[in-house]
Amino acid sequence: MASPIEHEDSCEQEAAEEPKTPKIRDTPEDIKLEAIANTIAFHPSRDILAAGDIDGDLYLFSYSCTEGENRELWSSGHHLKSCRKVLFSADGQKLFSVSKDKAVHILDAEAGKLLTRIPKAHNAPINALLLVDENIVATGDDEGTLKVWDMRRGTSFMDLKQHEDYISDITIDQNKRTLLTASGDGTMGVFNIRRRRFELLSEFQNGDLNSVCIMKRGRKVVCGSGEGKIYIFNWNGFGATSDRFAVQAESVDCIVPITDSILCAASIDGVIRAVSVLPNRVLGSVGQHLGESIEEIARSRDTRFLASCAHDQLIKFWDISSLPDTRVKRPWQQHQPCDENTIV
């Protein structure tokens, strides 16, 4: 017969050997980096996130809501200076990046191996990147030059300087015809990519234009500004804004559409806000990096998560799964019945 002490030791050993049930979180855990990340991007079909930091390093992480399951898949130090923007190709097999070192890189997303490098793609540091399709890439630099590249040849077929300051963001319409740029000079640029020509600049806005996106089924263009305002343009009415409103933030540095009418906006004050566009309203806070300026936000492929990177050297994940079901009433609808997902 076992003594009480032996029996107690046996029970403790059995308890120690019992597998612990993994804790499931609402969102993946924060990812801590060694330097500030300027840019992040979600993989188009897998639970993978890419990041580029101020040291020029690129990272690939797998993420999971199971506690302790986030993993670094690889890191790469190909850029000589700060990485400004990363994007996955549509099939997720390649990772594109641009840098302060004026280079465009294309990496094998699976292995992190450098496939293509254009070392002196611009005469100034590159700040903005857009993948038009699997072969066409647009880049914008700190001096306001836009280039559009045919990556099959490694050469640019558009090289235009219409802005007087840095290009902060680039987007394109669904037909891949009209390319739009936001700039630190306070204007939005309009370029016809099919005819390979510049069309017009918008009127000057107060403050830098930091971001641009297309909403309302292609009928509206939205820009975020350094003065904390959102400017709205009608499609084919790019010369002057049709509407504008303050977001009660120090700035609107980056915006990501969640639906045709709702976007998330990040600010230098560290707050990410959900914003309705037409009707124009701040719906509330999605998350916050306390006292730390946010560099970029990105939406996951299933619109379940929003990721953000900030000066605290953290990548954070936020649950935005309820935002697509949110409906915002216009003023004349205030007295109509509403459900729990309606904001009045």
Side-chain angles (χ1 to χ4, degrees), residues 272-286:
I272 304 167
R273 296 167 174 85
V275 179
S276 168
V277 175
L278 299 173
N280 301 330
R281 197 172 308 169
V282 177
L283 306 179
S285 173
V286 170

Side-chain angles (χ1 to χ4, degrees), residues 166-182:
Y166 66 95
I167 293 176
S168 57
D169 199 9
I170 311 172
T171 193
I172 197 166
D173 69 322
Q174 192 173 9
N175 295 325
K176 312 291 186 185
R177 177 173 172 260
T178 303
L179 187 146
L180 306 172
T181 53

Side-chain angles (χ1 to χ4, degrees), residues 17-64:
E17 290 175 353
E18 287 181 6
K20 293 183 179 180
T21 303
K23 184 178 179 181
I24 306 300
R25 301 163 47 95
D26 292 333
T27 59
E29 293 178 277
D30 296 349
I31 296 173
K32 178 67 175 178
L33 301 174
E34 296 180 2
I36 296 170
N38 289 322
T39 177
I40 50 177
F42 280 100
H43 192 281
S45 60
R46 298 168 61 189
D47 291 343
I48 289 175
L49 182 87
D53 71 17
I54 60 172
D55 292 334
D57 296 326
L58 274 71
Y59 296 87
L60 204 70
F61 300 96
S62 63
Y63 61 89
S64 171

Side-chain angles (χ1 to χ4, degrees), residues 73-326:
L73 302 178
W74 56 256
S75 63
S76 163
H78 290 297
H79 281 297
L80 303 176
K81 295 182 180 179
S82 177
C83 178
R84 298 275 188 81
K85 187 74 175 177
V86 294
L87 286 174
F88 284 99
S89 59
D91 60 9
Q93 294 182 10
K94 296 177 181 178
L95 186 67
F96 291 71
S97 64
V98 294
S99 167
K100 187 179 179 180
D101 65 13
K102 308 174 187 177
V104 177
H105 286 186
I106 306 175
L107 288 84
D108 180 323
E110 190 72 27
K113 180 182 178 182
L114 184 63
L115 301 175
T116 302
R117 181 172 186 260
I118 305 174
K120 296 180 180 178
H122 282 247
N123 293 325
I126 307 173
N127 192 58
L129 171 69
L130 173 74
L131 307 187
V132 177
D133 60 30
E134 60 182 4
N135 298 311
I136 306 301
V137 174
T139 52
D141 69 28
D142 282 359
E143 293 182 354
T145 296
L146 170 75
K147 289 191 176 186
V148 183
W149 302 81
D150 184 337
M151 298 309 294
R152 291 165 295 193
R153 300 175 181 176
T155 58
S156 61
F157 60 85
M158 288 178 67
D159 184 346
L160 300 170
K161 186 182 185 314
Q162 299 297 330
H163 291 292
E164 296 302 317
D165 208 335
Y166 66 95
I167 293 176
S168 57
D169 199 9
I170 311 172
T171 193
I172 197 166
D173 69 322
Q174 192 173 9
N175 295 325
K176 312 291 186 185
R177 177 173 172 260
T178 303
L179 187 146
L180 306 172
T181 53
S183 173
D185 65 11
T187 66
M188 182 179 72
V190 183
F191 301 82
N192 188 315
I193 196 171
R194 290 186 182 173
R195 297 185 179 180
R196 305 184 180 188
R197 72 184 187 192
F198 164 72
E199 295 200 335
L200 62 92
L201 288 180
S202 74
E203 63 183 6
F204 287 91
Q205 312 303 325
N206 293 327
D208 302 2
L209 293 188
N210 297 325
S211 46
V212 59
C213 68
I214 299 171
M215 299 184 71
K216 293 290 184 178
R217 299 181 182 178
R219 299 193 306 270
K220 302 289 181 179
V221 178
V222 179
C223 292
S225 81
E227 288 205 331
K229 292 181 181 178
I230 284 180
Y231 295 95
I232 303 172
F233 297 83
N234 289 326
W235 192 260
N236 291 331
F238 300 126
T241 57
S242 63
D243 206 351
R244 66 186 68 187
F245 68 102
V247 182
Q248 301 167 352
E250 291 183 40
S251 60
V252 181
D253 294 334
C254 41
I255 55 179
V256 171
I258 306 302
T259 69
D260 255 348
S261 301
I262 295 174
L263 59 81
C264 284
S267 171
I268 197 172
D269 62 13
V271 180
I272 304 167
R273 296 167 174 85
V275 179
S276 168
V277 175
L278 299 173
N280 301 330
R281 197 172 308 169
V282 177
L283 306 179
S285 173
V286 170
Q288 183 175 13
H289 291 254
L290 285 172
E292 299 289 350
S293 176
I294 295 173
E295 287 293 330
E296 191 166 41
I297 54 177
R299 184 191 68 182
S300 66
R301 67 186 187 280
D302 53 4
T303 317
R304 182 182 177 189
F305 302 123
L306 190 82
S308 57
C309 58
H311 287 195
D312 54 12
Q313 299 176 210
L314 293 176
I315 298 173
K316 289 178 172 287
F317 296 85
W318 313 98
D319 183 355
I320 58 167
S321 56
S322 63
L323 275 182
D325 297 323
T326 302

